[in-house]
Amino acid sequence: MGAREMDIEAKTIEDALTIAEKAFGVDKSQIEVEVLDRGQPGFLGILERPVMIRATILRPDEDDVDTGEDQTGETTCDGTVEIRDGKLYIQDPVGSGNPAIIIPTSEVILTVNDSIVTEPKPVTEKDKVEISLTKRVYPADITIEVSEDCLTAYVKVTPEITVNKKLEDQAPQSILELKVLCHEERVNTVTASEIEENLKSKGVVFGLNYNAIKQAAEKADGMPEVVAVGKPVQQGKNGFIEYLFQSDPVEIAYDENERIDYWERYIFPSVKEGDVLAVLHPPTPGIPGIKITGEEIPPDPVFDDVLRAKEGVRISDDGRQAIATMAGRPVKEDGNTPYLKITQLMTHSGDVNLSTGNLRFWGDLLILGNVTGGMEVSALGDITIKGNVAGAIIRAGSRVICQGNVIKSQIYSGGLIALYDKLASLVGDLEKLMDQIIRETDEIHRHLINTKKLELQPDGHTENNVINRIISLVIKQKKKPINAFIEECTTILDTAILPFPPVIEELLQSVKDLIGSPKDQARLSLDILKGILEKSRGVNELLVSLPDRNNDIVCKYVQNSVLETTGSIQITDKGGFYSTLTAEGDISVHGVFRGGEILAKGDVLVNEAGSPGPSSGDVKIKVSEGSTIKIRKGFPETILQVGNRFHILKKEEKALKVHLGTEGNIDLGTFRT
């Protein structure tokens, strides 16, 4: 036996089975059912998915016509139907066999005994069976599309298409479903003149390309063709500020014959009273364009910028110049309202010790003495120490310069930017999450109204407690990512040594209130959610606007210490002993490096690595895969690593250059010292 089957979608399995009964014209007991998808009931009608079944009814195959003998011994055979050379042939049944059945299709009009048939129909040779094939003619068409900016017009030309049909031949079978073969004939009747008329009717009168119009008419392939292009507007230029000072410290360039003073490596930008810090340039107007409809496109208005000043800076009477009113360091503070100011270093005249306490400052810090054991110094800007650092911790948002020795201490620079980067990513995720909570709350609210499950008040609003319950439900579903934000943000703030703006603490507390006590949640509203969204956007803008300053560590000598920076490290005199130097940039040691590790993502240059004798194996130098290690003198057992490749010095080496070769292996060479 053959089989007919049908995939059916419905709200329930019972509904799908009822549809199958009507389609097949049999009782449900004669239908086999396979459940393909049990569906999904949605929350308040949201995300609902229907049931799908595969219903199968057994029928004779085209080569398995039922023949045999009935109870009287007579031969029986079901009737058959076949399509041959596009014509229908009916064979009556033999004995007590069943008549053949024709199943119509939407592509034909089937009439039996002058009645139109739309369901499976038994037929015999006596029946008057007629099959009419529909013929479809699609007229030629011209479609004009104009871009949103009215600067480009496209035309799509399709020819006249006639769809001819004929019955598909089928072998004799007891149940025959009519099948149709289609053939298209295309005739191109559109002319270039007709396209031009259509363009004109759409108001397209400027920038016509007559060659493109002719090609579109000839090809008539239904593909868009550019047939008119307007004149784009030339936008003007807003006024802008030209800054006349260098924000970051400038490295001093010494001549070859000059003796390098390693403590005078940088010039810190400074100005004197009366210096012009910035000049405001006026805006440049734009040039109008023309749309393909002939209308003029005015350029966007241009705007003048504004010079803003705080302490130490005044604006000229015409508003075009920023002028220093005091000597000091010029600073351009970025943000929503950038401004210029002159800052002076905080100068600590003596030692940092128990009598002074730890130092923390929102800016640059200059210490004229030493930093003694157990003390901590932190600043958001640069820290410059004229004396020694012994048994202390130094943390700077930017650069650290120590003109003395560093012994048994820890120095970290650039940590501010790294911590702010973490927060920026975290706050960005919170911004997306809050926007999602607001949208889902609004969608559920509108669905309840549309389905009449929620009635509006006479003033057109919903009771606050209803909105509150919806918000509480959505927040409950988002509790996991909200808790993740709270935990990660709290960890960052708790472990950060450098201070943060109070607005970040306020944002964290607002998010905590979302999943706080029932009393806190009872006050939830869309305004509160939107307020948190605005706070997160404000914090994100603050983090993104932070200036990118130099984060190097420069010191004379280091012993039993840890130096870590997001910039570079320079040891300028005797060198380092039993210390760990870690940098995302380059590391250079002017003297010796005996004992410890050098870890750099950039290049490393060491004057002398390791030490003669049996204790030389205490030095390890590691760089990234694409970086280079240079050693003027290296002693045996010094470990060199580039990427994941190692090399251990077996003998004393001079002017050694180590990097990865083209095959990814360690390549040893020399360099000019």
Side-chain angles (χ1 to χ4, degrees):
M1 298 292 287
R4 284 182 60 206
E5 63 181 23
M6 179 185 303
D7 292 345
I8 302 172
E9 287 187 356
K11 191 170 183 179
T12 65
I13 294 177
E14 190 63 32
D15 290 345
L17 190 55
T18 300
I19 294 172
E21 285 184 277
K22 293 180 180 179
F24 292 141
V26 298
D27 185 78
K28 68 175 68 175
S29 62
Q30 297 176 273
I31 300 174
E32 293 184 358
V33 175
E34 178 187 356
V35 179
L36 302 178
D37 190 341
R38 294 188 176 275
Q40 173 66 50
F43 172 71
L44 299 179
I46 301 174
L47 302 178
E48 184 172 316
R49 192 172 72 250
V51 167
M52 176 176 282
I53 69 168
R54 177 165 293 162
T56 304
I57 179 173
L58 296 179
R59 63 178 177 83
D61 289 330
E62 50 185 58
D63 294 327
D64 190 21
V65 179
D66 187 18
T67 61
E69 295 183 354
D70 60 15
Q71 295 179 352
T72 63
E74 295 182 354
T75 300
T76 63
C77 180
D78 289 344
T80 63
V81 183
E82 71 171 308
I83 305 293
R84 187 170 67 251
D85 298 328
K87 295 183 178 180
L88 178 72
Y89 295 92
I90 301 173
Q91 179 69 46
D92 281 343
V94 176
S96 59
N98 297 316
I101 296 175
I102 298 178
I103 301 175
T105 177
S106 60
E107 299 293 331
V108 302
I109 299 175
L110 174 65
T111 59
V112 179
N113 299 324
D114 298 324
S115 297
I116 296 177
V117 176
T118 59
E119 300 290 339
K121 177 71 174 179
V123 294
T124 65
E125 295 175 5
K126 295 180 180 180
D127 291 325
K128 179 183 177 183
V129 180
E130 296 180 347
I131 298 176
S132 301
L133 297 173
T134 59
K135 180 179 181 180
R136 295 183 181 178
V137 178
Y138 300 92
D141 183 59
I142 300 172
T143 302
I144 305 296
E145 294 181 359
V146 177
S147 61
E148 290 186 8
D149 58 8
C150 288
L151 285 175
T152 309
Y154 305 86
V155 63
K156 296 179 183 178
V157 179
T158 54
E160 180 181 276
I161 302 174
T162 302
V163 181
N164 296 309
K165 302 177 182 179
K166 75 169 189 174
L167 290 175
E168 180 181 345
D169 288 355
Q170 298 187 63
Q173 48 197 288
S174 300
I175 301 177
L176 183 141
E177 183 176 1
L178 296 174
K179 298 180 181 179
V180 174
L181 298 175
C182 298
H183 172 68
E184 290 186 359
E185 293 181 2
R186 295 170 175 256
V187 179
N188 188 5
T189 61
V190 173
T191 65
S193 298
E194 290 176 319
I195 296 176
E196 292 175 24
E197 288 298 322
N198 273 264
L199 287 168
K200 186 177 180 180
S201 68
K202 293 288 186 179
V204 180
V205 296
F206 179 81
L208 295 175
N209 185 335
Y210 293 99
N211 286 333
I213 292 173
K214 181 180 178 182
Q215 290 178 7
E218 292 173 350
K219 290 192 294 185
D221 56 3
M223 299 301 294
E225 187 85 24
V226 177
V227 291
V229 177
K231 179 183 176 183
V233 65
Q234 296 183 33
Q235 299 295 352
K237 185 177 182 181
N238 289 330
F240 66 97
I241 298 172
E242 179 186 5
Y243 296 97
L244 305 179
F245 62 89
Q246 175 68 38
S247 298
D248 295 325
V250 179
E251 187 171 2
I252 299 173
Y254 290 95
D255 294 336
E256 292 183 359
N257 298 325
E258 284 187 284
R259 182 179 179 277
I260 299 176
D261 184 346
Y262 288 99
W263 299 116
E264 298 296 334
R265 297 295 302 277
Y266 297 91
I267 298 175
F268 288 85
S270 62
V271 295
K272 60 182 182 297
E273 183 179 352
D275 284 352
V276 178
L277 305 179
V279 175
L280 177 62
H281 294 272
T284 303
I287 301 174
I290 303 176
K291 298 180 180 180
I292 56 177
T293 56
E295 301 173 66
E296 183 179 275
I297 309 173
D300 293 338
V302 292
F303 302 97
D304 207 348
D305 206 337
V306 178
L307 282 170
R308 298 179 178 87
K310 286 194 174 181
E311 59 271 14
V313 180
R314 72 173 180 86
I315 305 301
S316 62
D317 293 339
D318 61 2
R320 297 294 175 184
Q321 290 185 332
I323 302 168
T325 61
M326 59 183 289
R329 181 178 178 183
V331 175
K332 179 172 71 73
E333 293 287 353
D334 293 321
N336 292 331
T337 55
Y339 58 85
L340 291 169
K341 68 178 182 178
I342 302 295
T343 63
Q344 293 178 321
L345 293 174
M346 172 183 172
T347 302
H348 184 78
S349 58
D351 293 344
V352 179
N353 50 34
L354 289 175
S355 64
T356 64
N358 296 328
L359 294 186
R360 293 171 61 85
F361 182 61
W362 289 79
D364 297 335
L365 180 59
L366 172 62
I367 299 172
L368 300 179
N370 304 311
V371 181
T372 61
M375 305 310 298
E376 293 188 14
V377 175
S378 61
L380 293 182
D382 296 340
I383 297 177
T384 302
I385 303 167
K386 293 289 187 178
N388 299 319
V389 178
I393 298 176
I394 310 296
R395 293 184 175 89
S398 299
R399 184 202 316 269
V400 176
I401 297 177
C402 178
Q403 297 183 8
N405 299 322
V406 178
I407 300 173
K408 294 184 179 179
S409 297
Q410 302 170 42
I411 298 180
Y412 306 95
S413 73
L416 178 67
I417 298 299
L419 288 171
Y420 271 110
D421 285 345
K422 293 179 183 178
L423 275 177
S425 174
L426 197 58
V427 173
D429 291 341
L430 175 65
E431 185 178 334
K432 295 177 184 177
L433 179 62
M434 295 309 303
D435 184 66
Q436 188 178 8
I437 291 174
I438 292 172
R439 284 189 291 103
E440 291 185 8
T441 299
D442 184 61
E443 289 172 1
I444 294 174
H445 183 220
R446 283 188 285 106
H447 175 77
L448 292 175
I449 294 174
N450 293 337
T451 56
K452 308 298 184 182
K453 296 179 180 179
L454 183 63
E455 295 183 359
L456 295 176
Q457 299 298 311
D459 61 355
H461 292 81
T462 307
E463 294 182 7
N464 290 333
N465 61 341
V466 175
I467 296 293
N468 172 267
R469 290 200 300 271
I470 296 174
I471 294 174
S472 298
L473 174 64
V474 176
I475 288 177
K476 185 177 180 181
Q477 295 174 342
K478 308 293 183 185
K479 191 172 183 180
K480 186 175 180 179
I482 293 175
N483 279 329
F485 169 83
I486 293 173
E487 292 173 5
E488 292 183 41
C489 190
T490 301
T491 300
I492 291 174
L493 296 181
D494 288 346
T495 56
I497 304 301
L498 299 174
F500 282 84
V503 66
I504 298 178
E505 292 280 3
E506 296 172 7
L507 174 63
L508 177 60
Q509 186 57 51
S510 298
V511 177
K512 288 180 178 179
D513 291 342
L514 289 179
I515 55 174
S517 64
K519 182 179 179 181
D520 292 331
Q521 291 190 322
R523 295 193 295 267
L524 289 177
S525 67
L526 282 174
D527 288 339
I528 290 177
L529 296 179
K530 292 175 181 177
I532 296 176
L533 179 60
E534 289 303 314
K535 282 184 182 179
S536 64
R537 288 172 176 168
V539 170
N540 201 32
E541 292 176 2
L542 171 66
L543 299 176
V544 171
S545 68
L546 284 173
D548 187 11
R549 300 177 65 181
N550 191 301
N551 302 321
D552 295 348
I553 297 176
V554 181
C555 65
K556 181 178 179 181
Y557 168 81
V558 59
Q559 177 183 326
N560 295 101
S561 297
V562 174
L563 275 59
E564 185 174 324
T565 178
T566 58
S568 299
I569 296 176
Q570 300 175 43
I571 309 298
T572 62
D573 196 0
K574 297 178 183 179
F577 290 79
Y578 302 102
S579 297
T580 300
L581 314 181
T582 305
E584 293 188 13
D586 301 333
I587 296 179
S588 65
V589 180
H590 183 262
V592 302
F593 191 79
R594 306 198 194 283
E597 288 186 327
I598 295 177
L599 310 171
K601 290 186 178 179
D603 298 331
V604 169
L605 172 63
V606 179
N607 187 59
E608 186 175 307
S611 59
S615 62
S616 62
D618 294 329
V619 172
K620 180 178 180 180
I621 302 175
K622 178 182 178 181
V623 297
S624 297
E625 189 171 293
S627 301
T628 301
I629 301 172
K630 292 182 179 179
I631 303 173
R632 290 192 174 92
K633 181 187 288 187
F635 291 100
E637 298 186 25
T638 297
I639 301 173
L640 308 177
Q641 181 178 349
V642 182
N644 59 0
R645 300 291 185 177
F646 292 84
H647 178 74
I648 302 176
L649 298 187
K650 303 298 183 182
K651 61 179 181 178
E652 183 178 318
E653 300 278 1
K654 292 185 178 181
L656 179 63
K657 178 181 178 182
V658 182
H659 64 280
L660 290 185
T662 56
E663 301 297 327
N665 297 318
I666 289 287
D667 189 354
L668 303 178
T670 59
F671 67 98
R672 182 177 298 178
T673 60

